[in-house]
Amino acid sequence: MTKLSFPGLNIDWFEINPIAFSIGNLSVHWYGVIIAFGFMLAILYCIKIKDYSNLTSDNICDVALFGAPVGIICARLYYVIFSFSDYKDNLWDVFKIWEGGLAIYGGIIGAVLTAYIYCKVKNLSVAKVFDVCIIGVVIGQIIGRWGNFVNGEAYGAQTDVFWRMGIVENGKEIFVHPTFFYESLWNLGVFIVLNIILRHRKFDGQVFLSYLLFYSLGRVWIEGLRSDSLYLGGLRVSQILSLLLIIVSSFAIIYNITYKNKNKGL
């Protein structure tokens, strides 16, 4: 059971069962249900906006069905690589994905590479496909973070802000930043901005590059509040990658708008 509270909002301690339901010995967790719901909603929305990039419903479904499993595998690999000390003594634990340990940046990298290969095989515009599909990724992130809420994970450092979240850590009640909520709310803002850009884009690929820019801006801030970050040489991996993406995407957007003709894009 996950025990939580929001004392500043006058919400006393309550418990959430991470297991939605069981069939025999098989337990279905709310985390999986929430992720599946976000995945389906993302596909439906991408189909709704597919005409902005001359895609078909089959194109959208293919990208999603190929990209999702590869994304999950890469999300796990990314996490394991930067926390290998937790697995080196028992490598079989690497495969226990149901125990947690996924990194969103790894998932995005895997999904993007898969979509790129799909576009090349099908002779589709990479930039146009990315512009539509990345909005689906944002929807998945908005909804998926609530799986962290149910599991009582992905929270931040201790704080006394009035919206603080109470949680039990190592048998002790502490109050922390609800960083899962910060990221979900930030991504909602990114979703709105990307939809506006999609309808008024100056070049193909602008929506995708804007995602890299705006998501990374939020991640730099939110990651600084997290208490479960992955580290490399004493630095937070996600902050390093986010800063690099901010620089690269900003340069690419400025370059395309300033120096390239409209609709040529990436």
Side-chain angles (χ1 to χ4, degrees):
M1 300 292 287
T2 302
K3 187 177 180 181
L4 303 168
S5 73
F6 293 89
L9 303 177
N10 294 319
I11 300 176
D12 205 357
W13 291 97
F14 61 94
E15 292 185 336
I16 301 177
N17 188 346
I19 298 176
F21 59 91
S22 298
I23 303 176
N25 294 325
L26 175 65
S27 295
V28 177
H29 290 244
W30 278 114
Y31 187 88
V33 173
I34 292 170
I35 293 296
F37 175 71
F39 180 71
M40 293 303 301
L41 189 61
I43 293 175
L44 292 174
Y45 192 80
C46 286
I47 290 175
K48 176 180 173 62
I49 62 174
K50 68 182 188 302
D51 292 340
Y52 282 98
S53 291
N54 299 320
L55 300 175
T56 66
S57 297
D58 286 343
N59 292 149
I60 299 296
C61 292
D62 285 346
V63 171
L65 293 177
F66 288 129
V70 175
I72 292 173
I73 292 171
C74 290
R76 182 60 169 177
L77 285 175
Y78 186 102
Y79 181 87
V80 170
I81 288 171
F82 291 107
S83 56
F84 188 69
S85 59
D86 296 335
Y87 300 95
K88 63 180 182 180
D89 295 328
N90 192 348
L91 293 179
W92 284 112
D93 287 348
V94 170
F95 301 98
K96 296 180 180 179
I97 195 171
W98 56 89
E99 293 183 355
L102 298 175
I104 186 61
Y105 268 134
I108 293 172
I109 291 170
V112 165
L113 289 176
T114 303
Y116 179 84
I117 294 172
Y118 176 83
C119 290
K120 291 302 181 181
V121 171
K122 293 292 186 177
N123 197 28
L124 298 172
S125 167
V126 174
K128 288 183 178 181
V129 171
F130 280 18
D131 276 351
V132 169
C133 292
I134 201 62
I135 295 181
V137 171
V138 178
I139 291 174
Q141 289 179 284
I142 293 169
I143 296 173
R145 279 302 178 191
W146 288 92
N148 298 136
F149 169 68
V150 173
N151 286 348
E153 60 190 8
Y155 52 84
Q158 294 189 50
T159 182
D160 59 357
V161 295
F162 80 88
W163 59 83
R164 63 193 180 277
M165 179 177 72
I167 194 164
V168 178
E169 184 180 85
N170 298 322
K172 180 182 178 181
E173 296 178 353
I174 61 174
F175 299 94
V176 300
H177 283 284
T179 47
F180 77 89
F181 176 70
Y182 296 170
E183 188 163 337
S184 181
L185 188 61
W186 179 270
N187 286 331
L188 178 60
V190 172
F191 170 78
I192 294 171
V193 171
L194 294 187
N195 274 278
I196 294 173
I197 294 174
L198 179 66
R199 289 158 174 77
H200 304 283
R201 57 186 166 174
K202 302 296 184 182
F203 62 90
D204 293 332
Q206 185 179 359
V207 179
F208 177 70
L209 290 172
S210 296
Y211 164 80
L212 296 181
L213 172 61
F214 292 120
Y215 173 71
S216 297
L217 283 170
R219 189 59 187 264
V220 166
W221 163 58
I222 296 170
E223 191 68 24
L225 299 174
R226 292 276 292 267
S227 60
D228 60 347
S229 298
L230 300 175
Y231 285 86
L232 178 64
L235 300 175
R236 297 174 192 258
V237 176
S238 290
Q239 284 188 318
I240 296 172
L241 182 55
S242 294
L243 288 171
L244 290 174
L245 289 175
I246 290 170
I247 295 170
V248 172
S249 59
S250 296
F251 174 80
I253 291 171
I254 293 171
Y255 173 77
N256 276 278
I257 291 178
T258 305
Y259 296 105
K260 299 190 72 173
N261 293 328
K262 185 178 180 180
N263 296 325
K264 284 188 177 181
L266 296 174

